[in-house]
Amino acid sequence: MTVEAISEITSRALYLIIQAALPILLVSLSIGLIVSIFQTVTSIQEQTLTFIPKILGIFLTLMLLGSWILNIIIEFMTELWMNIPNYVKS
């Protein structure tokens, strides 16, 4: 297996990780920002206020996009498993 092949697999895997995690992280970030703005405007200083909205937002995101995330991971892993003979041979 060549260094170029390893580099390509690694870069594709890192891109896949970013692609799979980005929707969940964006939802969590946006909910945290909205709750922080709400806390600033209303002068509520409760630190645990963001937990329930973030949990619900992440749960809804996983319900809506979970199958897509799972499909892209399965496609990548299937391609890796199918190409094992090519990786071993070279």
Side-chain angles (χ1 to χ4, degrees), residues 2 8 13 21-23 27-28 48 52 61 67 71 84 86 89:
T2 63
E8 179 186 346
L22 191 63
V27 166
S28 178
T48 60
I52 298 299
T61 303
S67 63
N71 282 334
I84 284 179
N86 295 336
K89 185 170 70 171

Side-chain angles (χ1 to χ4, degrees), residues 47-65:
Q47 294 178 351
T48 60
L49 187 63
T50 61
F51 289 128
I52 298 299
K54 279 186 184 181
I55 289 171
L56 291 175
I58 290 171
F59 179 71
L60 289 174
T61 303
L62 285 175
M63 282 182 57
L64 294 174
L65 298 176

Side-chain angles (χ1 to χ4, degrees), residues 3-4 13 19-20 22 24 26 31 35 43 45-46 49 55 60-61 68 78 83-84 87 90:
V3 175
E4 292 83 17
Q19 190 178 10
L22 191 63
I24 298 167
L26 285 177
I31 290 173
V35 171
S43 298
Q45 297 302 321
E46 181 62 36
L49 187 63
I55 289 171
L60 289 174
T61 303
W68 172 74
T78 303
N83 289 326
I84 284 179
Y87 300 146
S90 40

